[in-house]
C-alpha cells in the first residue's frame, strides 16, 4: 500500500513533538527553528505566490517567509511547511535545487509528494492529533468549534477546518467552494462510513438547493466574510434515501474568493433501527385500511 504523503508528514511532526516533550498549544514554529539554529527571516513581497523558502548555506539553514499576506496564522503555517522540508528525511536533498534554495507556494494546491508531505507536517506540527482531539472535545460543534480551535492553535480557519474534518469523531464534512464549484472537501471517517451516501468530490458543483449555493450567488458575502448558520438536508448534499435535517454553517474567506461550509449535526439513524422502521412501513402499507 502506498503511503499517504499528507498523513506521513503529519505523523513525522507529531513524533518530533513527542520527542521534544512539547505538550501544549499553541505550538511555536519560530522557537523550534531557533532551537535548531535555523535563521528565520521575514521576506517582503517580491515574487508573488511564494509563501516560504528553505535555504542552505553549507551546513547551515535559513527559512524565509512571505509577508505579503499579513496574517500570523499564514506565516506560522509557512514556517512550519519549511520546517517539514528540513526535518523529513530525504527532503533537503530532494527539494533544494542546484542553488540550495527551495521555494514553496501557497498551501493545499500542490500534488508534488514533497509539498504534500511538508503540508501534512505543518498541519501535524501546529495541530498535533492528540492535543487537537482533546481540545476538540471541549470546543463545541460546527464553525464555532473550528473558530475556537483556530484561535487556540493560531492557525487559519481553512487549515483548522481541514484538520477538524480529519480528527472529529462524529460525522462532519468541510467543503471549500468557489462560486458554484466545490474546490475541495473533507469528510470525517464516521461520515465516510455511512452507507448509501455519495462522497462529495472536487470539481463537482455545489448542490443548488443548499444555503451555500445561495450564499455564493452574492459575491459580497465572500469578500466581506459574511457568516451564517443555516440548516439543509443530508440528501441535498449526499444523495441517498435518508431525509435528515443537518446544520450548515457558512463563512466567506475574504480575498481568497473562497467559501467555507461546515456540515454537521448529522444524526444518521442506527442501521438496525432503520430496518425496523422499514418493516413497520412495509406492514402498514400492506394493512388494508378499513377505517375512514
Ligand atoms: Zn515546499
Amino acid at each position: 500500500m502506498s503511503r499517504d504523503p499528507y498523513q506521513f508528514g503529519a505523523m513525522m511532526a507529531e513524533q518530533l513533538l513527542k520527542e521534544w516533550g512539547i505538550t501544549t498549544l499553541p505550538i511555536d514554529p519560530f522557537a523550534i527553528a531557533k532551537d535548531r539554529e535555523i535563521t528565520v527571516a521575514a521576506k517582503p513581497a517580491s515574487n508573488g505566490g511564494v509563501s516560504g523558502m528553505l535555504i542552505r548555506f553549507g551546513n547551515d539553514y535559513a527559512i524565509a517567509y512571505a509577508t505579503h499576506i499579513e496574517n500570523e496564522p499564514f506565516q506560522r503555517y509557512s514556517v512550519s511547511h519549511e520546517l517539514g522540508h528540513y526535518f523529513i528525511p530525504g527532503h533537503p536533498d530532494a527539494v533544494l535545487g542546484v542553488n540550495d534554495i527551495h521555494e514553496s507556494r501557497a498551501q493545499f494546491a500542490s500534488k508534488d509528494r514533497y509539498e504534500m508531505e511538508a503540508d501534512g507536517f505543518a498541519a501535524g506540527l501546529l495541530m498535533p492529533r492528540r492535543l487537537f482531539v482533546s481540545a476538540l472535545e471541549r470546543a463545541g460543534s460546527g464553525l464555532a468549534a473550528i473558530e475556537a480551535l483556530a484561535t487556540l492553535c493560531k492557525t487559519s480557519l481553512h487549515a483548522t477546518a481541514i484538520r477538524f474534518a480529519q480528527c472529529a469523531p462524529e460525522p462532519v464534512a468541510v467543503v471549500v467552494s468557489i462560486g458554484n464549484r466545490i474546490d475541495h472537501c473533507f469528510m470525517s471517517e464516521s461520515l465516510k462510513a455511512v452507507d448509501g451516501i455519495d462522497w462529495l468530490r472536487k470539481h463537482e458543483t455545489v448542490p443548488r438547493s443548499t444555503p451555500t449555493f445561495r450564499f455564493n450567488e452574492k459575491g459580497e458575502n465572500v469578500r466581506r466574510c459574511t457568516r451564517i448558520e443555516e440548516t439543509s438536508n443530508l440528501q441535498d448534499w449526499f444523495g441517498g434515501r435518508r431525509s435528515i435535517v443537518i446544520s450548515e454553517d457558512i463563512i466567506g474567506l475574504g480575498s481568497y474568493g473562497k467559501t467555507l461550509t461546515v456540515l454537521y449535526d448529522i444524526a444518521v439513524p442506527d442501521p438496525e433501527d432503520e430496518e425496523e422502521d422499514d418493516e413497520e412501513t412495509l406492514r402498514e402499507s400492506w394493512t388494508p385500511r378499513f377505517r375512514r
Side-chain angles (χ1 to χ4, degrees):
M1 212 178 93
S2 69
R3 71 181 188 204
D4 175 338
Y6 187 93
Q7 298 286 3
F8 175 76
M11 218 182 61
M12 289 297 303
E14 284 158 357
Q15 236 165 42
L16 287 170
L17 288 172
K18 209 169 156 189
E19 278 172 30
W20 298 331
I22 297 177
T23 55
T24 49
L25 297 170
I27 308 295
D28 184 354
F30 292 88
I32 291 169
K34 204 170 164 215
D35 269 2
R36 290 280 165 154
E37 295 180 348
I38 301 168
T39 310
V40 180
K43 190 182 165 300
S46 56
N47 32 1
V50 175
S51 53
M53 294 200 288
L54 180 68
I55 307 147
R56 181 162 61 186
F57 313 94
N59 291 323
D60 296 332
Y61 286 85
I63 287 172
Y65 63 95
T67 51
H68 65 278
I69 298 180
E70 270 182 60
N71 169 317
E72 198 194 356
F74 180 80
Q75 295 172 352
R76 285 163 45 82
Y77 192 95
S78 299
V79 172
S80 302
H81 174 106
E82 300 310 324
L83 284 174
H85 289 317
Y86 174 84
F87 280 110
I88 302 172
H91 270 236
D93 288 335
V95 304
L96 292 164
V98 283
N99 299 322
D100 273 350
I101 293 180
H102 167 74
E103 289 185 344
S104 302
R105 287 164 203 280
Q107 67 244 54
F108 313 121
S110 181
K111 284 209 160 53
D112 176 80
R113 182 193 122 199
Y114 293 100
E115 292 310 287
M116 286 164 79
E117 286 183 355
D119 278 341
F121 186 94
L125 188 78
L126 299 172
M127 297 170 279
R129 186 174 280 266
R130 201 170 55 83
L131 301 180
F132 192 79
V133 166
S134 74
L136 193 149
E137 283 161 7
R138 298 185 300 270
S141 58
L143 182 56
I146 292 168
E147 287 166 331
L149 290 163
T151 304
L152 178 67
C153 300
K154 296 192 180 182
T155 40
S156 72
L157 266 191
H158 188 184
T160 314
I162 291 169
R163 198 68 175 145
F164 182 80
Q166 288 167 343
C167 295
E170 72 271 18
V172 295
V174 163
V175 182
V176 175
S177 55
I178 301 175
N180 65 0
R181 192 171 50 83
I182 294 177
D183 189 59
H184 53 274
C185 52
F186 290 85
M187 294 161 65
S188 68
E189 289 304 319
S190 57
L191 181 58
K192 288 179 189 169
V194 172
D195 63 21
I197 63 164
D198 301 328
W199 285 31
L200 298 178
R201 301 204 189 276
K202 204 178 161 105
H203 303 317
E204 278 176 6
T205 50
V206 175
R208 292 189 74 88
S209 46
T210 59
T212 298
F213 185 89
R214 292 191 292 278
F215 183 96
N216 284 352
E217 282 183 317
K218 281 192 184 162
E220 73 241 38
N221 280 336
V222 182
R223 282 194 302 278
R224 290 181 189 163
C225 304
T226 307
R227 182 192 191 290
I228 60 166
E229 296 183 3
E230 279 268 9
T231 56
S232 57
N233 197 296
L234 183 73
Q235 266 174 335
D236 292 340
W237 282 100
F238 302 100
R241 62 195 173 87
R242 297 186 192 85
S243 172
I244 296 172
V245 175
I246 63 173
S247 295
E248 178 166 343
D249 296 348
I250 307 166
I251 189 165
L253 292 179
S255 53
Y256 300 104
K258 292 176 180 170
T259 301
L260 176 68
T261 300
V262 188
L263 305 170
Y264 63 106
D265 281 344
I266 304 174
V268 182
D270 199 303
E272 283 177 22
D273 295 348
E274 265 187 313
E275 254 168 52
E276 273 172 34
D277 285 353
D278 286 352
E279 277 169 29
E280 191 93 336
T281 325
L282 203 64
R283 213 177 307 131
E284 267 172 27
S285 64
W286 281 95
T287 310
R289 286 160 203 268
F290 295 113
R291 266 169 265 166
R292 277 201 58 167

